Amino acid sequence: MQEKIYETTLGNEKLSATFSNLADQANGAVIIRLGNTVVLVTAVMGENEREGQDWFPLTVDYEEKFYAVGKILGGRFNKREGKPSDEAILTGRIIDRTIRPLFNQKMRREVQVVATVLSSDEKNDPSVPAIIGASLALATSDIPWAGPVSGVRLGLIKDNPDEFIINPSNKTSDDLILDTLICGKGGKINMIEARAMEITENKLDLSYDLAVAEITKLENWQKNIIADIGKPKTEVNIASPSEEVKKLFTDLIAPKLSNHVFSGEPNKNKIKAITKEWQDILNSNKADEISTGLLYLEDKIDEELHVEGIKNKKRADGRTVDELRPIFCQAGGLTEVIHGSGIFFRGGTHILSILTLAGPKDSLLIEGMEISGAKHFMHHYNFPPFSVGETGRLGGLNRRAIGHGTLAEKSLEAVLPDRVTFPYTIRLVSEAMASNGSTSMGSVCASSLALMEGGVPIKRPVAGIAMGLMYEDENNYIILTDIQGPEDHYGDMDFKVAGTTEGVTGIQLDIKVDGISPKILKEALAQAKTTRLKIIDKILKAIPAPAPEVKASAPFIETIKILPDQIGNVIGSGGKTIQKITEDSGAEINIEDDGSIFIAGNKEAVATAKKIILAMTHEYKIGEQFTGTVTKVTDFGAFVKIGPGTEGLVHVSEMAPFRIEVISDYLKIGDTVPVEIKDIDSRDRLSLSIKKRDPDFFATPKKS
């Protein structure tokens, strides 16, 4: 096998790119190694144009292989990898969002990028190697693409919040108060994904500057590789309309385009109307150029929005550049059957979020290449076709739904109570009822309302907003607050920022240009904060604080803690003891390795199970007093049960303050007696005393 290897560093790890003939049928292929994490990335371009298609056919797949972590995972009857995990889908989306802006969007040759994780160590996340690998596979191939692009993961750890970590270890991910992946090229940024624990805007500003510096180093390394082994780029056909089509447009559509684009309506109806009119004209005059003709209209609408926006600060719906659409918030009011609900309107975007609370056994069990364990907080997002006034198939998941749901989920995580305080499994479902810009950030707001209405003691509400951009160059641009329809579709940036009054909790950046400077992002971040605080004020007016307790329809949960070496006693042989407690009480019981026991059910069931378990696991001490039941009578005393599986001996001398000759004259099996623990021997056997607890229990000696 022929190989050529190039090396550099990322953080404290060696980063290498290996080019070989391993996958030599692909247009471009590279193996990226970071520590012991190894990713193969290939890029292939189809041979034929997709005629009549109105979008660039790019596909990005991120493949997790169980062998990469040295495990045989999967179900009992199937050990093959199945559908991609949420983590794989999200990583594929990150790669897509990073490389897509650097293609000519009018290209109609299909391009597929596949990142296959061959090995994954415990320290280095495969996402960054996959991004760099996608860049090198494309840039060294003959596929037309304007790279290279690079990415870097940065972190802040709670024990040292002032020093950024480059390429933080996966082992420290639970300790990170900021975990962000930033991509870009040429001193600019084109993709951000961030989870934060209420980080200030100033800290995030610093992360952009550091990321650009690190990205530049990786970019220069890639450029040297491309200069050495890069292939000449293939010329592909970029369709454009004929002069006859352009003249038709100039004569019949151009004079009224501005009135339709800037109609003042809070939706795209006027744009849809002029698009339909233009399509009818093309059908009648140039039916063979409908696709290119419609793209020409798209370009002209885009141009109109940019020119008027940048020069005159004009927006499609007539708002000022920093104006927020009308807000409506409602906490609850739907039904008492569900455990919490929130309704949030921001202009034409309407979201309903529903809260469900359950016990620990209803947590999501994850067994994957990168992530395994129980997940106790979930946010799911649905986007039915009626939300945009269309018909379509219901059900199923796509990358967008998973991406939007996860963005809202991580934006809310920062304010959730810990599991000791609130040991519930929490599921939120956000339904996009009407969509006109950033349903994901609307989901964050509606979910905050639902959590508070449902009695989840969150620190404070989280709100989110989408910021946009009309960009010509670094000196000519305009930042837009709360983008909707046309600004989302034709604008250059979708910068989603979620957070509280104290700081940012989640960020996602998508752009359509090749990059945006940190300067513009800092301005947008500051503008987003101002708007976010306005939305939070509206949320707090609807519900000033979380409800003092969960609803009656939600399960009641209590947490108790036992010693880890007592877990076996509670579970019993083959689980018989815990099954018996569950049957006797009607409660759901979940025991964790540290001795935490979560008991869920109605209050009576929880109280019963709690009493049984506390009695079983009680650590007895000398001097404790109980009311026990006689289980056995002997010549020298009586055995008394004082708890589940626990009994002690009351010696004849400890029964009364006088001499007892015949014990059976005073006690029989089943009698209830007061006792006190007098002594505990080295084998944990209990000596009990009735006379010490109540000297008058046996009033007088009985005559023989």
Side-chain angles (χ1 to χ4, degrees), residues 310 469-471 473-479 519-520 523:
I310 294 169
L469 178 74
M470 295 295 174
Y471 180 86
D473 56 45
E474 284 298 302
N475 299 312
N476 297 285
Y477 62 87
I478 186 169
I479 296 171
K519 170 182 172 289
I520 295 175
E523 290 178 29

Side-chain angles (χ1 to χ4, degrees), residues 325-332 342-347 349-351 442 445-446 449 535 538-539 542:
R325 288 176 290 170
I327 300 292
F328 170 78
C329 300
Q330 177 181 308
I343 296 174
F344 179 80
F345 286 19
R346 190 185 59 249
T349 294
H350 305 163
I351 306 294
C445 301
L449 290 161
I535 298 173
K538 297 280 188 182
I539 291 173

Side-chain angles (χ1 to χ4, degrees), residues 147-440:
V149 67
S150 295
V152 63
R153 186 176 169 217
L154 300 176
L156 284 175
I157 198 162
K158 54 189 171 187
D159 292 336
N160 187 10
D162 295 320
E163 185 176 343
F164 284 97
I165 303 170
I166 299 170
N167 189 38
S169 169
N170 281 342
K171 292 181 179 179
T172 64
S173 59
D174 290 340
D175 297 323
L176 294 177
I177 57 174
L178 172 66
D179 188 355
T180 182
L181 181 56
I182 302 175
C183 302
K185 59 165 285 191
K188 297 179 180 180
I189 292 169
N190 77 344
M191 200 291 305
I192 301 174
E193 194 77 32
R195 176 183 63 84
M197 305 298 284
E198 298 185 295
I199 296 296
T200 64
E201 280 74 8
N202 289 338
K203 277 278 170 61
L204 291 167
D205 290 347
L206 294 173
S207 74
Y208 302 151
D209 294 330
L210 176 58
V212 165
E214 292 299 318
I215 287 169
T216 300
K217 294 177 188 175
L218 293 170
E219 184 180 355
N220 291 334
W221 174 66
Q222 289 191 59
K223 284 179 178 178
N224 289 332
I225 297 172
I226 297 162
D228 188 27
I229 63 170
K231 301 173 185 175
K233 297 299 182 184
T234 299
E235 288 190 17
V236 297
N237 178 49
I238 303 296
S240 61
S242 65
E243 292 303 317
E244 290 86 348
V245 167
K246 291 179 182 178
K247 187 175 188 309
L248 280 171
F249 183 88
T250 302
D251 293 343
L252 302 176
I253 298 296
K256 47 189 171 184
L257 184 62
S258 184
N259 288 336
H260 280 72
V261 172
F262 298 101
S263 66
E265 292 187 5
N267 51 46
K268 294 189 287 187
N269 286 344
K270 285 284 189 178
I271 293 177
K272 289 178 181 177
I274 201 167
T275 300
K276 176 67 167 58
E277 182 180 345
W278 177 230
Q279 187 168 1
D280 290 342
I281 292 169
L282 290 170
N283 273 324
S284 300
N285 296 275
K286 285 285 182 180
D288 59 333
E289 291 192 59
I290 291 176
S291 178
T292 53
L294 289 174
L295 283 173
Y296 188 66
L297 172 63
E298 291 280 293
D299 289 343
K300 289 300 180 181
I301 295 172
D302 185 279
E303 182 182 312
E304 190 77 21
L305 284 164
H306 277 74
V307 170
E308 289 297 324
I310 294 169
K311 289 186 177 179
N312 302 316
K313 295 186 177 180
K314 192 173 180 181
R315 299 182 71 171
D317 62 354
R319 282 182 294 150
T320 60
V321 295
D322 59 353
E323 185 178 348
L324 180 66
R325 288 176 290 170
I327 300 292
F328 170 78
C329 300
Q330 177 181 308
L334 198 61
T335 167
E336 290 303 305
V337 174
I338 60 175
H339 303 161
S341 66
I343 296 174
F344 179 80
F345 286 19
R346 190 185 59 249
T349 294
H350 305 163
I351 306 294
L352 167 65
S353 289
I354 305 292
L355 169 72
T356 306
L357 301 173
K361 283 189 176 179
D362 287 311
S363 61
L364 175 65
L365 295 178
I366 301 174
E367 185 185 46
M369 189 197 78
E370 294 185 59
I371 299 175
S372 61
K375 187 176 181 181
H376 298 280
F377 172 59
M378 295 157 278
H379 175 273
H380 297 148
Y381 165 97
N382 295 317
F383 190 85
F386 63 74
S387 67
V388 286
E390 297 176 357
T391 60
R393 180 185 173 192
L394 285 173
L397 282 177
N398 55 35
R399 291 186 171 197
R400 182 179 182 275
I402 292 171
H404 279 29
T406 303
L407 174 59
E409 181 177 291
K410 68 185 179 186
S411 297
L412 293 161
E413 283 176 344
V415 299
L416 294 176
D418 60 53
R419 293 192 63 231
V420 174
T421 305
F422 196 77
Y424 287 85
T425 294
I426 303 171
R427 182 181 184 234
L428 285 161
V429 179
S430 291
E431 308 281 0
M433 295 299 186
S435 173
N436 190 12
S438 192
T439 49
S440 64

Side-chain angles (χ1 to χ4, degrees), residues 50-63:
R50 284 199 172 182
E51 299 291 344
Q53 185 166 293
D54 61 355
W55 47 274
F56 166 52
L58 170 67
T59 303
V60 177
D61 293 299
Y62 178 84
E63 295 283 299

Side-chain angles (χ1 to χ4, degrees), residues 75-149:
R76 183 178 176 187
F77 299 103
N78 182 24
K79 295 299 180 181
R80 289 183 66 88
E81 291 79 1
K83 67 178 184 178
S85 67
D86 285 3
E87 190 70 19
I89 289 170
L90 295 170
T91 304
R93 274 172 52 87
I94 286 170
I95 299 168
D96 187 306
R97 288 157 45 209
T98 300
I99 64 176
R100 186 178 290 272
L102 304 178
F103 284 97
N104 185 328
Q105 300 304 304
K106 294 180 180 178
M107 203 166 94
R108 295 296 176 264
R109 296 272 289 274
E110 187 173 10
V111 175
Q112 184 178 30
V113 173
V114 179
T116 305
V117 183
L118 303 180
S119 173
S120 180
D121 63 23
E122 294 182 349
K123 181 180 179 183
N124 296 291
D125 184 79
S127 301
V128 170
I131 291 165
I132 295 170
S135 174
L136 279 171
L138 287 166
T140 58
S141 75
D142 59 348
I143 302 171
W145 185 66
V149 67

